[in-house]
Amino acid sequence: MSLVAVSAVPAGNQGNTIYIDDSGSGLIPDGPTNCYIINESGKYLLNESLTHGLKIIANDVTLDGNGYNLTNSIAFGVQVYNCSDVTVRDMDIFGCNWAGIALGEASDCMVEKNCVTDCGKAWGTPGINLWGSVYNKIINNYVYNNTGCGIKANDIANVESERSMYNKIHANTVFENPLGDICVNESVNDVSGNHVTPEEE
């Protein structure tokens, strides 16, 4: 994935866009996970590469990576938790100890045009992980060489509230993930048009 060069812009609220730099200026720190918390709706744009994760707990958020890198050696890259109408796009996420992108109890979200690699070092966590999440779209991402599955939607039998259903997994390129490339129950999710490890096609 190519990087996009932008002029230096201070972190913080600039008009209708909140710029994020590696200091996490203006965001709430979550020290144990080496993350910063986004808890207000709006458009957030990376202004440089990050060495910490981001946790989104607000509805109606657009997180645009602007082509920059994000890595977090302690926990996840981007977590969307207990919210809806969130878009995560256009970033290179690598080297995260947990999932590169995690959707937990999230709905009506879009994850698109990201590159997720070398994530899930702890417990074989997937590159992109959905847990208890419904009606989301995972589209046009590159997901490769993660420790666990490439893309996984948890499906716990007889516990419907914890199942990930009615999600669209489409047009992703997923390969070289040792526990499987797309680990999704296709009977309750729409899985189509993905490019996976050749021997699994």
Side-chain angles (χ1 to χ4, degrees):
M1 181 176 288
S2 61
L3 298 182
V4 179
V6 296
S7 300
V9 179
N13 195 333
Q14 306 290 321
N16 295 322
T17 300
I18 300 166
Y19 289 86
I20 300 176
D21 64 19
D22 198 39
S23 73
S25 177
L27 301 178
I28 300 168
D30 181 17
T33 61
N34 188 38
C35 292
Y36 286 87
I37 298 172
I38 294 174
N39 66 344
E40 294 184 5
S41 303
K43 181 176 181 180
Y44 295 78
L45 184 69
L46 267 60
N47 194 31
E48 62 182 354
S49 293
L50 306 183
T51 56
H52 56 75
L54 295 169
K55 182 175 182 178
I56 301 170
I57 59 173
N59 299 331
D60 301 309
V61 168
T62 295
L63 174 61
D64 190 334
N66 201 20
Y68 283 111
N69 299 335
L70 183 153
T71 185
N72 183 1
S73 61
I74 295 176
F76 46 77
V78 176
Q79 184 186 50
V80 180
Y81 182 69
N82 194 26
C83 53
S84 61
D85 297 305
V86 172
T87 296
V88 178
R89 67 159 65 103
D90 194 23
M91 66 182 74
D92 287 349
I93 300 175
F94 64 90
C96 296
N97 203 36
W98 302 349
I101 300 174
L103 274 62
E105 300 179 13
S107 62
D108 298 299
C109 297
M110 170 74 81
V111 175
E112 63 175 349
K113 299 180 180 177
N114 301 285
C115 180
V116 180
T117 184
D118 195 31
C119 292
K121 298 175 183 297
W123 314 301
T125 312
I128 297 177
N129 191 28
L130 287 77
W131 182 85
S133 295
V134 296
Y135 298 110
N136 301 289
K137 296 180 180 179
I138 314 298
I139 296 177
N140 198 23
N141 300 279
Y142 277 80
V143 186
Y144 66 95
N145 196 34
N146 297 283
T147 304
C149 292
I151 300 172
K152 183 176 182 180
N154 287 0
D155 183 21
I156 302 175
N158 302 319
V159 186
E160 187 167 325
S161 64
E162 297 181 3
R163 297 175 67 189
S164 291
M165 302 182 292
Y166 317 123
N167 299 289
K168 184 177 181 67
I169 317 293
H170 178 71
N172 301 283
T173 300
V174 192
F175 58 96
E176 296 182 1
N177 301 282
L179 297 186
D181 289 324
I182 299 179
C183 307
V184 175
N185 185 342
E186 296 187 31
S187 69
V188 291
N189 294 282
D190 178 2
V191 181
S192 63
N194 300 286
H195 305 281
V196 299
T197 301
E199 59 266 27
E200 295 189 1
E201 290 183 335

